[in-house]
Amino acid sequence: MGRSSMSEAENKTGKGARVPLTPDRIVEAAFQVIEEVGLDEFSTRKLALKLHCEAMSIYHHFPSKAHLMDALVDSTLADLPPVPDDLPFPERVRVIFVGFRAVGLKRPSFFQFLSVHRLNTPFALTVLDRIIAEFRIVGFDDRTAAHLFRMLGYYVMGATLDETNGYAKGGTSVQVITEDDLRRDYPNVSAAGAYFSAENWDAIFHRGLNILLSEIETLARELPARKA
Amino acid sequence: MGRSSMSEAENKTGKGARVPLTPDRIVEAAFQVIEEVGLDEFSTRKLALKLHCEAMSIYHHFPSKAHLMDALVDSTLADLPPVPDDLPFPERVRVIFVGFRAVGLKRPSFFQFLSVHRLNTPFALTVLDRIIAEFRIVGFDDRTAAHLFRMLGYYVMGATLDETNGYAKGGTSVQVITEDDLRRDYPNVSAAGAYFSAENWDAIFHRGLNILLSEIETLARELPARKA
DNA sequence: ATAATTACCTTACACCGTAAGGTAATCCTT
DNA sequence: AAGGATTACCTTACGGTGTAAGGTAATTAT
């Protein structure tokens, strides 16, 4: 009973034309596997399984798993939506960070990787450069631009991380608490907990973002006028 | 030439009285190893090496590595400084979150674990319960308490994570950019980058925290008066 | 002193990332 | 079309991981 699978591409001896491995195919499959099994359980062997190839074949296209993970970071950042040209200042920054949260939520398990890694790749730096440019172009000095950029980054990164932690596979403590225990032993968590569910996330996120952005807008208005 | 080490405790056949393994000793050693080798390289065998015992001996005190990690989370949260009784409302919350950042920065590599795990342990819930209580006790309704708590949490978690990522072992991309490349290809990152170093972190962190806390203070003042 | 219990160790297994080198498919040249 | 070169993929193997199963040594209880 030789293995026969009429679905999907199949390398090795199986019939069906060998679908060539490419960096893009590998990256896409990696995202799938990560979201299916969680970041901790993601391995080159499971990725190979998804790709119907051997683990070491991946190494012809990426010199190491770390290089692959870097490519996933870049691919994630490439998903960021463009900023409309005619959008004015504080809103430009808003759509960038709202977009960042959106791409993060699309891949909760992978975001756990992204959040603990410095965005050091050339492409990531290009993205960061554009964001920081938004602050400098409206007249903020370097120091203030740095502060405001990081401030917003903190908030959005923290928010997205917290939200993705709720969705990502794994990452929960070993002993879990029942609803009854919660009500009895942690009344405040229980009371507020009604507003911790996913349908409240948008409201919470935008509430904080609004606070930070309106402060930034106020600061921008105090800036010496810029030539048009 | 039998191994002889006059330092430290030594189990197994080495002379020197066998220092008994305890959960506390294991936890403390785990923190040390994690900060020495980084979260990814942390293993039960390296932990055993530090404790002069065998890996499996740890399993007598913790049923799994996951249980140990939970204990590390609890131990970290237990380090949070207490809130002085006489401190008024918005400042109470400030010291809690400032304290959270402080304990995070003390163990950068471990914080990478904490940040992607839900604080679900009984002790962690106790801590969270106390924080949320601060909002409810001054009169915020459950929904607002939930919002403000999470908002602040997002910011502080994101800030601490970003700062610890700068210190923690590992977590950088594979190909690193030189200073010259940075100046040429990423002028905005380069300009703002002067204000990204560690000595600027406090200023940035408190700037954002102040913005959020003063908004919260404003909201608190609009609350119907509470009986003393 | 002996039995029971606790604490720790040994061995082994399935899985991980990946170095080294082999084989098969493709392309390039004639 | 044939032969050679190059690329793409696979096989094997190594040292690492968490931990199940069961042994041994130390401590405590009787």
Side-chain angles (χ1 to χ4, degrees), chain B residues 21-204:
Chain B
L21 235 39
T22 65
D24 280 358
R25 266 192 75 211
I26 295 171
V27 163
E28 208 42 57
F31 279 132
Q32 285 182 32
V33 175
I34 288 173
E35 298 309 321
E36 282 168 18
V37 306
L39 188 63
D40 291 344
E41 291 295 313
F42 172 65
S43 71
T44 55
R45 284 176 173 85
K46 284 171 190 156
L47 175 54
L49 217 64
K50 168 79 78 180
L51 288 164
H52 303 288
C53 72
E54 294 302 315
M56 287 310 291
S57 303
I58 295 161
Y59 284 78
H60 183 72
H61 302 270
F62 294 97
S64 75
K65 194 187 182 188
H67 283 83
L68 169 58
M69 298 310 279
D70 271 9
L72 299 187
V73 170
D74 283 358
S75 172
T76 300
L77 294 180
D79 263 4
L80 285 173
V83 182
D85 283 343
D86 55 341
L87 209 61
F89 166 65
E91 293 311 307
R92 300 180 66 76
V93 172
R94 186 196 303 271
V95 306
I96 292 172
F97 282 105
V98 167
F100 182 82
R101 170 176 176 255
V103 302
L105 286 174
K106 224 167 71 179
R107 308 194 205 280
S109 285
F110 175 70
F111 196 80
Q112 300 195 330
F113 176 88
L114 194 148
S115 68
V116 298
H117 278 72
R118 310 177 70 181
L119 301 178
N120 269 353
T121 65
F123 182 73
L125 283 169
T126 306
V127 172
L128 297 186
D129 203 72
R130 286 217 191 92
I131 304 177
I132 297 172
E134 300 287 348
F135 292 96
R136 296 181 77 222
I137 219 166
V138 295
F140 284 117
D141 61 281
D142 292 349
R143 192 182 118 97
T144 309
H147 281 218
L148 301 184
F149 162 71
R150 293 205 78 166
M151 248 178 48
L152 273 177
Y154 291 168
Y155 177 75
V156 175
M157 186 67 88
T160 309
L161 182 58
D162 198 284
E163 294 171 4
T164 52
N165 281 347
Y167 280 141
K169 300 261 174 178
T172 196
S173 72
V174 174
Q175 53 180 148
V176 283
I177 270 76
T178 71
E179 200 70 28
D180 281 351
D181 289 344
L182 201 79
R183 241 190 311 277
R184 178 165 24 81
D185 298 331
Y186 316 99
N188 296 293
V189 171
S190 177
Y195 302 94
F196 285 171
S197 58
E199 56 263 31
N200 296 274
W201 292 354
D202 272 10
I204 299 175

Side-chain angles (χ1 to χ4, degrees), chain B residues 140 214 216-224:
Chain B
F140 284 117
S214 39
I216 290 174
E217 193 171 12
T218 303
L219 291 173
R221 264 199 291 268
E222 293 166 357
L223 248 26

